[in-house]
Amino acid sequence: MKPTRTRFIVLAGICAAAALAYFTRNGVAPAESTIRAELGITKEQSGMLMSSFFWPYALCQIPAAMLAQRLGARWSLSLYGVLWSVATAFLAWGNLAVMTGARAFMGMAQAGLVPVGTTVMARWFPRTAQASASGAFSGFMSVGSIIAAPLTAWLVVSIGWRWMFVWYAVPGVLWAAWFAVWYRNRPSEHPGVNAAERAQIEQDAPPGAAIEAPRVPWGLLLRSPALWCLCLQQFCRAAGYIFFASWFATYLQEARGVTILGSGWLTTLPLLADVTGCMAGGVLSDVLLRKTGSQRLARQGLTATALLLCAGLIFCAWLVANPVMAVLVISAGMFCAATANPCLGATVMNLGGPHVATVSAATNMCGNLGAAAFPVVVPWLLVHAGGWDAVLGGFGALYIVAAVFWLLLRNERIGQ
């Protein structure tokens, strides 16, 4: 019997959710200078507005994963999609307090996306294809950012940023309605999955991927060196990545003399590199795993090497005067860094066992604590540490530290 391919529609569904989530959360950054001028706020206040998403997003990771275990991925992701769309619409209200509250609520609503999405991939894909699936999922996060950057810049000029946020709320509601009707929590429950596809999915499934998670052993989790390495590397990588979703457009405008429309388009280049790096890295990691059978080489070794290359390329951008060429060099670095995204997802699925959602939530929580901190640190670096050069240097250093934690990571089951 020829296997059906329902699992790829599942992957397309969660990739669409990832793109929509990042599309809405990153819609503020390209319009930052316009919103700041219209509201009459300082750069420090603007940094707090952008970071207001990430504190509740980080802190609600584990509660959102626990709620999803009760509701199942089908209903929890549908609920989260509606809620973050409502929060997006409230950004059009247009004063600092309401926008900050809306960004915070959006962070709470999107907190369950990554841990629930990781659980979905663990249940619907065999181990030797999980990095590729994770690469697509991670890559489509940047697809949303890529679309948001130039579209936001154009809409700000054409219809104003308030109406822009109203229109940005619509796609998430439509996606949530489709997902609630079509998706099923397990391959065995979906009418579109035949026996051959179920066998293909389950042929090398990691232990615990197809069962309900038992009570979370928090003591064992917190004593796991592997979990600490995963969390700390994610703190550094997310803090580096968020530069593109917060201050990168402003950096191009102020340090490189690029217009707002030009900065919107140039911002898409490192994000496009992130998409291609995620997808290429996932495929390469799975190929290495099938050829060598070594989890350490295919996941940790590949990622640490790529992160060090990323840091080197970012430092090289210092020496490039032409803004377009500098962005291309940075984009090459982001291509390298992006290979860590699918490797992280596959590593969490392999080491998390029945606690995949909790481990994923913990790593993503730490990542977003880093993402929340970096936009606030940037104004301080601009005033006290040497301007935009200091910001770029700190940006590159984060990836070196992340590489060190990947080298320290050992393949040991978390929580057991």
Side-chain angles (χ1 to χ4, degrees):
M1 183 185 299
K2 186 177 180 179
T4 50
R5 302 176 70 82
T6 305
R7 65 192 183 279
F8 295 109
I9 302 177
V10 170
L11 180 61
I14 61 172
C15 286
L20 290 173
Y22 273 68
F23 176 80
T24 55
R25 78 169 69 171
N26 292 339
V28 171
E32 183 273 332
S33 59
T34 303
I35 295 172
R36 171 160 47 90
E38 184 171 328
L39 297 183
I41 59 177
T42 66
K43 284 185 178 179
E44 287 75 13
Q45 289 174 311
S46 186
M48 291 299 294
L49 170 62
M50 286 188 285
S51 70
S52 63
F53 171 93
F54 296 100
W55 293 108
Y57 180 77
L59 297 175
C60 289
Q61 290 286 313
I62 292 174
M66 294 173 67
L67 177 61
Q69 287 182 346
R70 286 182 169 271
L71 299 180
R74 180 185 183 185
W75 298 115
S76 61
L77 281 181
S78 300
L79 174 64
Y80 299 155
V82 171
L83 292 178
W84 82 56
S85 300
V86 171
T88 302
F90 268 89
L91 288 171
W93 202 278
N95 66 64
L96 182 60
V98 173
M99 292 184 74
T100 301
R103 287 275 293 175
F105 186 72
M106 184 190 294
M108 295 171 62
Q110 291 189 8
L113 176 63
V114 171
V116 179
T118 303
T119 303
V120 169
M121 289 182 286
R123 287 181 173 171
W124 280 84
F125 283 86
R127 185 171 68 94
T128 52
Q130 286 173 350
S132 299
S134 183
F137 182 61
S138 299
F140 269 84
M141 296 175 185
S142 286
V143 167
S145 300
I146 289 169
I147 296 171
L151 182 60
T152 296
W154 178 71
L155 288 176
V156 166
V157 175
S158 301
I159 65 173
W161 56 272
R162 298 176 193 272
W163 275 108
M164 175 194 72
F165 285 124
V166 173
W167 284 108
Y168 278 8
V170 174
V173 175
L174 298 177
W175 176 87
W178 168 80
F179 194 76
V181 171
W182 184 85
Y183 180 72
R184 298 296 182 273
N185 290 324
R186 299 176 183 280
S188 59
E189 299 170 353
H190 202 290
V193 178
N194 64 10
E197 185 176 19
R198 284 197 300 272
Q200 196 171 53
I201 292 170
E202 296 168 1
Q203 63 183 346
D204 61 353
I211 63 173
E212 294 296 333
R215 186 172 62 86
V216 177
W218 288 109
L220 291 175
L221 290 180
L222 294 174
R223 290 194 297 270
S224 170
L227 180 60
W228 281 100
C229 284
L230 290 173
C231 288
L232 291 172
Q233 66 80 33
Q234 188 68 356
F235 180 95
C236 296
R237 288 198 310 112
Y241 175 85
I242 204 60
F243 180 53
F244 296 107
S246 55
W247 288 105
F248 190 61
T250 305
Y251 160 73
L252 292 174
Q253 294 165 26
E254 295 188 356
R256 298 287 185 168
V258 179
T259 65
I260 182 173
L261 287 174
S263 67
W265 284 106
L266 286 176
T267 299
T268 65
L269 295 179
L271 299 175
L272 183 60
D274 185 78
V275 173
T276 54
C278 282
M279 296 183 179
V283 173
L284 177 59
S285 182
D286 279 340
V287 169
L288 284 173
L289 181 61
R290 288 193 291 269
K291 294 290 186 182
T292 67
S294 172
Q295 180 87 8
R296 181 163 179 79
L297 174 63
R299 311 303 194 207
Q300 291 98 298
L302 173 64
T303 301
T305 301
L307 291 175
L308 291 173
L309 286 173
C310 169
L313 286 165
I314 290 170
F315 294 143
C316 287
W318 260 334
L319 307 176
V320 180
N322 183 277
V324 176
M325 291 303 300
V327 172
L328 288 174
V329 173
I330 292 173
S331 299
M334 290 310 299
F335 177 90
C336 296
T339 62
N341 292 331
C343 292
L344 173 63
T347 300
V348 168
M349 287 181 248
N350 182 58
L351 302 184
H355 311 295
V356 167
T358 303
V359 173
S360 178
T363 57
N364 208 40
M365 177 185 71
C366 290
N368 284 280
L369 291 175
F374 196 66
V376 179
V377 170
V378 166
W380 185 90
L381 292 174
L382 290 174
V383 174
H384 301 288
W388 286 110
D389 285 344
V391 174
L392 204 64
F395 173 47
L398 287 166
Y399 288 101
I400 296 177
V401 178
V404 171
F405 286 116
W406 273 99
L407 291 172
L408 294 174
L409 178 65
R410 295 291 183 268
N411 286 316
E412 56 184 29
R413 184 57 59 88
I414 298 171
Q416 294 182 4

